[in-house]
Amino acid sequence: MGQDSLFKSAFTHSSIGMALVAPDGKWLDSNASLSKILGYTKEELLSIDFQKLTHPDDLNADLDLLKECLSGKRDSYQIEKRYYHKNGSTIYALLTVSLIREDNTPSFFISQIQDITENKKAQQALVQAAKLATIGEVAGTIAHEVNNPLTIIEGQTSLLRRSLVKKGYDDPKAFAQLSKINNTIGRITSIIQSMKNLSRESSSEKARTCSVSELVEESLALCRHQLKKDQIDVFVDVDKSLCINARPTDFGQSLLNLINNSRHAMKEMPLKQLKITAKEEQGRAMIHIVDTGHGIRPQIASKVMDPFFTTKQRSEGTGIGLSITKKLINRMDGEVKLIKPLNNTTFCIEMPMAYQKSQNIA
Ligand SMILES: Nc1ncnc2c1ncn2[C@@H]1O[C@H](COP(=O)(O)OP(=O)(O)OP(=O)(O)O)[C@@H](O)[C@H]1O
Ligand SMILES: [Mg+2]
């Protein structure tokens, strides 16, 4: 085999994506691995330049290095960059480029493209987990620090109410104000509880066998008033015999977070319907929360569970509802997923079943 055909064979059969690229960026030749990485056939690749497939944020760095090669400042370079796959997804790649010169004139580039998307995602997941742990620790400390003074305020308020009653003071306005203070304390307490849940401190509640139907009804009871006020029709279709292994308070809070999001998303909609269904599927309990709200744009669908991601005004949300929900559900060996972002936005909570109780009930 001659040198040329040896090279051709190495190029064609390499498991790394390879391309020959003209000095102006046009692909001259590419191998099957590159087509596999980017989703385009060789013919399609040869009709476009690499600039079109490069993520705009990574283009300049690549072009600058290319220019340095052409000007003779360097012969080769290696960078990490992002390409767009034909299906629109982002591919992370390690790109190695060498310039081939003939008679000292740039002839073509040899580009080697290694798909490192999986590694990148694993790395990002680690960074995200570390961030979450830090946020959790800070939240846990704040929650702890605020809890003590809050208990004092709560205690003093009820003492004040008692002594007013004892002294025969009967101004309704004053008592209404005291009730407002109490309600606000309640709100702060629940925010603190949420922050504690976000922290790594594990809830002391033990997991036990719970009826999904009861859990759903308990959560709905807590927000029925709000749902009615917002004129939302609620439909419940839960298999009565379905039991899960869960921490009831944590599960209830998770459900409330999802219901509250649905409630908010339906505020301006003409049709306001919330549907909660639950049934067994392949040995797992599947609880679906469906709403007729404005939906979630595909561009943000992957971010909604990130801590502090919100599209709401500062006064309307902090963006921790879904991240807490995910954390609480994962801690019970369950999973929460956004399974339909638009047109009947659907979240699914998947939980381990509790067989014993369900058999007893049946
Ligand atoms: N059912 C839904 N319909 C439409 N958008 C939703 C729905 N659920 C979540 N979202 C989107 O996901 C974002 C994040 O939700 P998350 O519950 O984590 O925070 P939040 O509701 O904004 O604030 P918080 O829950 O802390 O009050 C929301 O701001 C909203 O854009
Ligand atoms: Mg929320």
Side-chain angles (χ1 to χ4, degrees), residues 53 92 128 249 282:
L53 300 187
Y92 288 85
Q128 182 67 10
T249 315
Q282 291 167 347

Side-chain angles (χ1 to χ4, degrees), residues 18 43 84 97 110 148 168 223 336 353 357:
M18 286 185 80
E43 290 66 37
Y84 286 125
V97 177
I110 300 183
N148 292 342
C223 56
V336 53
M353 306 257 304
K357 176 90 174 273

